[in-house]
Amino acid sequence: MDDKSLGYTIMIITLAIMAGYLAWILGYLPIPPELAVSLPVYLAVYMILFIVLWIGYTMATTPPPVPLDTPLDLDTEFDFDEDEEKEKAEEE
């Protein structure tokens, strides 16, 4: 399935869901219309709580990083001035 047909399929499915949701809110379906408002709110709250749960689980189960024996000194590790001098020499 190419991108164009996938896009049209998503559009058609979305329009069908939108029409069904509108019919539900207006009371044309046998499901109580109050649920059309409260159910998405409940689902949104549970999705946020699930994300918080997932972050907590990840923090609890991820091992701590290995400490470095000596702190990094980026000025001595990487001599940026030397690289700039080489680039200038190559340009000339």
Side-chain angles (χ1 to χ4, degrees), residues 8-61:
Y8 283 124
T9 304
I10 291 172
M11 285 174 48
I12 291 169
I13 291 171
T14 303
L15 286 172
I17 291 172
M18 288 172 64
Y21 190 72
L22 182 63
W24 185 17
I25 288 176
L26 296 177
Y28 292 117
L29 296 179
I31 305 168
E34 295 84 24
L35 285 176
V37 176
S38 62
L39 188 63
V41 172
Y42 290 137
L43 290 176
V45 169
Y46 273 94
M47 286 175 57
I48 292 170
L49 290 175
F50 179 77
I51 291 170
V52 172
L53 175 81
W54 176 50
I55 291 171
Y57 172 78
T58 304
M59 291 175 67
T61 58

